[in-house]
Amino acid sequence: MDKQSRYRELLSQIEVFANTDDNPISVLSNCAAVMKVVFPKEYFWVGFYIVDGDELILGPFQGTPACTRIKFGRGVCGAAWKEGRSLVVEDVEEFPGHIACSSLSRSEIVVPLFSDGVVIGEIDIDSTELSTFDDVDRENLEKAAEIIAPFMAKFAKTVSCRM
């Protein structure tokens, strides 16, 4: 199956999760799992980071242990948050200030999740190969982000309520 067909399948499954459960942790967990299943070779690590004050905190993910907190503007995730746009990084070693949660990571894509025009979280995906991600990935993951964002917003509200 080609990449675009796999993304159609992925988006279809994410829609199912979004329409059958309203618990944000369950939806985000299943989304991370299905992303890893649909792209097992390309996605070494896939997960979510949630905005909490001036940091991103680790949310549901699939893969090896990860950085639990990332400051605004730091690394690829912090830069995508600061710039409010998706970032496709062909070689993480060449990205200024890259945070190496795993030495196996070679390329990365980060897609912000928005609520009312504000970044509330991110989809973060790493690959063990260089130049894994392109505009097809970015465009489709931005569609996934639109579906997932309302659940991230629910979770982000519960995070801010505990402070």
Side-chain angles (χ1 to χ4, degrees), residues 20-160:
T20 58
D21 199 339
D22 65 350
N23 182 290
I25 294 172
S26 297
V27 172
L28 294 173
S29 296
N30 276 330
C31 287
V34 76
M35 288 175 175
K36 182 79 167 144
V37 167
V38 173
F39 290 96
K41 293 179 182 158
E42 297 86 350
Y43 291 10
F44 164 69
W45 191 95
V46 57
F48 297 95
Y49 279 95
I50 303 149
V51 172
D52 185 12
D54 67 343
E55 294 181 311
L56 294 165
I57 59 170
L58 181 64
F61 71 94
Q62 294 282 309
T64 58
C67 301
T68 58
R69 296 183 177 275
I70 299 172
K71 291 282 188 191
F72 181 78
R74 297 227 28 241
V76 180
C77 289
W81 177 18
K82 182 178 180 179
E83 295 176 22
R85 66 181 181 96
S86 300
L87 293 179
V88 176
V89 180
E90 293 184 3
D91 182 349
V92 295
E93 298 295 325
E94 293 182 9
F95 190 87
H98 174 253
I99 300 168
C101 295
S102 170
S103 61
L104 298 175
S105 178
R106 290 285 165 252
S107 60
E108 185 171 2
I109 184 168
V110 177
V111 177
L113 298 157
F114 293 93
S115 179
D116 296 325
V118 175
V119 176
I120 56 168
E122 295 178 335
I123 301 169
D124 180 24
I125 305 171
D126 291 17
S127 173
T128 57
E129 302 296 322
L130 293 171
S131 303
T132 298
F133 307 107
D134 58 21
D135 283 339
V136 171
D137 299 285
R138 182 188 53 75
E139 290 167 8
N140 283 285
L141 290 168
E142 286 173 353
K143 290 176 187 174
E146 289 176 17
I147 301 166
I148 296 165
F151 296 94
M152 180 67 76
K154 288 179 187 180
F155 185 72
K157 288 177 186 170
T158 62
V159 169
S160 63

